[in-house]
Amino acid sequence: MLGVSGGIASYKTCSIARGLTEAGVEVDVVMTASAAQFVGPLTFEALTGRPVLQSLWEPGVSLDHVRWARDPDLVLVAPATANLIARAAQGLADDFLTTMLLARTADVLIAPAMNDDMFAQSTTHENLTRLRRRGWHVIGPAVGALAEGPSENPGRMEEPDHIISETKRLLASRSGKWTGRKMLVTAGATREQMDPVRVVTNRSSGLMGYELARAGYERGADVTLVTGPSSLPVPWGVGVKRVETTEEMLNAVAQKLPDTDLMIMAAAPADFRPTSPVESKRPRAGGLITIEFEPTPDILVSTRDVRKPSATVVGFALETTDGLDRAKKKLEDKDLDFIVLNFADEPDAGFESETNRVTLVSRSDVTELPNMLKSDVAEKILDAVESHRG
Ligand code: CTP
């Protein structure tokens, strides 16, 4: 159930309703009278494909609030205005939304949004503390521009994508399959220094690893992302460790690994590094240069002994020829539970693409998947891990 109270952030709740509906969540929207001043109920009806509830006094609905309150798996209120928070904290039940909040049995997640001065008031803090003490979950508010101009203080509603992630995580926590599991994901290319301004790297964007980290958080895992240089936004709720070289990635992984339950090596670490990077920039006028490279350590292989024996380990293989045979060999050599095979020479797949076509290889199965968004590939990989663990 998605409660909408009346603030300018209400218009952003449309994308929350849409995002959750697209993810397969059945969303029933309850709007306060002031929310309907900002966004028309028809908008939510069109986005969710379900009727919008507004008044306690609508014929056929008026006595139904208790049933409505018992039905949902989760109640999300976004935006939660200062007024809505105050009414809920007092236990008032003077419209459909507050009545439903008082009668509900499900968990509640609220996303406060208000002017920064209103948020700074001790009254608002006391009300929020009271709700937290009752077990309500609170996301935000964030710091950033408000309707009335820039602000450096909290007040603005947390980003819709972040609210969607947190909502999915709370819904997933009902089954508890991933709750408390520690997940480590590596992502992106590493880079090796040739001289103070030049590096050797590869074309990995990191997107696959970032999507895996997001998907893991949304299922309930505690996720750490070890990433090479990338400008992608870090997924909501995910802890990040930024590294530059393959050696640094190895050290970051080795440190986290002893208590990791699921490790996914989606990174494309640089496989070679110059044997002796020079300390000053090489002048071009010097003409032809020869640089000697040495292999970097293999992270999966060199951390084998610090893995938890019960950990599930997933590697990736990006191949051009003899893909399946090479992937199966890497599965054995690197002692993996799964290897995700993808092909470097296909259009709309692999590096620098939003989509990917992969084959999931386990000790017993080979599953070819069609080309799909990397966010969907991430879900398929985690589905496979989930059924592998049983
Ligand atoms: N990998 C790693 N450490 C490296 C290089 C790769 O742990 N220094 C991991 C990758 O993150 C991936 C898997 O090993 O999960 C396979 O990577 P890939 O580059 O396909 O294999 P390599 O072992 O480097 O073999 P090659 O490049 O010779 O095909």
Side-chain angles (χ1 to χ4, degrees):
M1 179 147 289
L2 172 58
V4 190
S5 59
I8 183 59
S10 311
Y11 83 92
K12 295 189 194 167
T13 306
C14 298
S15 55
I16 300 175
R18 184 188 171 134
L20 289 173
T21 305
E22 279 176 354
V25 180
E26 283 180 4
V27 182
D28 284 313
V29 174
V30 180
M31 298 179 80
T32 64
S34 32
Q37 297 292 319
F38 289 92
V39 186
L42 204 59
T43 306
F44 283 111
E45 209 163 293
L47 290 170
T48 61
R50 298 165 76 86
V52 171
L53 303 155
Q54 291 184 80
S55 164
L56 277 172
W57 314 119
E58 272 167 56
V61 179
S62 54
L63 296 176
D64 251 8
H65 56 268
V66 173
R67 184 178 67 76
W68 280 106
R70 295 232 167 99
D71 267 1
D73 298 314
L74 180 77
V75 181
L76 163 66
V77 185
T81 58
N83 184 43
L84 186 278
I85 290 167
R87 289 191 293 143
Q90 293 303 318
L92 294 184
D94 53 359
D95 64 5
F96 203 119
L97 181 55
T98 47
T99 305
M100 200 271 302
L101 283 168
L102 198 59
R104 54 96 229 164
T105 50
D107 274 353
V108 186
L109 171 65
I110 60 170
M114 64 199 74
N115 164 276
D116 51 0
D117 289 329
M118 289 167 90
F119 184 71
Q121 289 293 334
S122 56
T123 324
T124 306
H125 279 255
E126 281 159 24
N127 289 334
L128 275 173
T129 305
R130 198 181 271 203
L131 294 177
R132 275 202 181 92
R133 250 192 256 122
R134 280 181 215 154
W136 289 30
H137 304 272
V138 180
I139 178 168
V143 175
L146 299 167
E148 54 275 31
S151 162
E152 285 172 10
N153 299 310
R156 174 191 168 89
M157 186 169 82
E158 189 49 79
E159 290 308 312
D161 281 355
H162 299 171
I163 295 172
I164 291 173
S165 278
E166 204 59 36
T167 304
K168 288 182 181 172
R169 184 175 170 90
L170 282 169
L171 285 170
S173 71
R174 298 171 61 254
S175 83
K177 283 190 184 157
W178 290 71
T179 309
R181 292 189 66 84
K182 300 223 167 8
M183 174 171 165
L184 174 65
V185 184
T186 65
T190 57
R191 54 191 190 194
E192 304 293 338
Q193 197 180 318
M194 287 163 56
D195 68 26
V197 295
R198 300 185 183 102
V199 293
V200 184
T201 185
N202 59 61
R203 288 165 46 212
S204 168
S205 66
L207 182 60
M208 191 65 247
Y210 279 61
E211 290 295 354
L212 281 158
R214 179 197 50 72
Y217 181 79
E218 289 176 356
R219 286 181 191 223
D222 295 337
V223 187
T224 303
L225 177 67
V226 177
T227 175
S230 169
S231 53
L232 291 172
V234 175
W236 172 256
V238 167
V240 68
K241 171 87 182 121
R242 292 185 183 279
V243 298
E244 178 102 6
T245 64
T246 298
E247 188 88 36
E248 283 172 18
M249 186 171 272
L250 166 64
N251 293 337
V253 167
Q255 208 183 13
K256 272 276 163 196
L257 216 44
D259 63 0
T260 293
D261 302 299
L262 168 63
M263 174 195 192
I264 308 189
M265 273 291 300
D271 282 325
F272 299 96
R273 63 185 168 209
T275 40
S276 34
V278 293
E279 307 244 310
S280 50
K281 189 182 166 199
R282 284 175 220 264
R284 198 154 70 100
L288 185 73
I289 54 166
T290 303
I291 300 172
E292 188 183 50
F293 287 90
E294 64 185 0
T296 54
D298 185 307
I299 299 171
L300 276 171
V301 172
S302 30
T303 54
R304 229 176 349 200
D305 295 343
V306 281
R307 290 179 199 165
K308 251 184 174 179
S310 60
T312 305
V313 184
V314 182
F316 274 70
L318 181 68
E319 306 292 353
T320 46
T321 47
D322 302 330
L324 191 55
D325 288 343
R326 287 171 58 89
K328 282 181 173 164
K329 183 160 182 335
K330 285 178 190 173
L331 185 80
E332 289 294 332
D333 292 350
K334 302 192 184 210
D335 193 13
L336 309 175
D337 297 289
F338 290 95
I339 192 145
V340 184
L341 166 63
N342 49 157
F343 308 91
D345 40 10
E346 275 192 16
D348 302 324
F351 286 176
E352 294 175 329
S353 172
E354 298 250 305
T355 55
N356 205 3
R357 188 177 78 78
V358 306
T359 301
L360 283 184
V361 184
S362 72
R363 302 257 160 185
S364 52
D365 294 308
V366 175
T367 314
E368 279 188 35
L369 298 176
N371 196 292
M372 58 179 88
L373 286 172
K374 284 183 176 171
S375 51
D376 293 330
V377 176
E379 301 294 346
K380 295 283 180 200
I381 294 170
L382 296 194
D383 284 350
V385 168
E386 194 173 301
S387 40
H388 167 76
R389 283 197 348 249

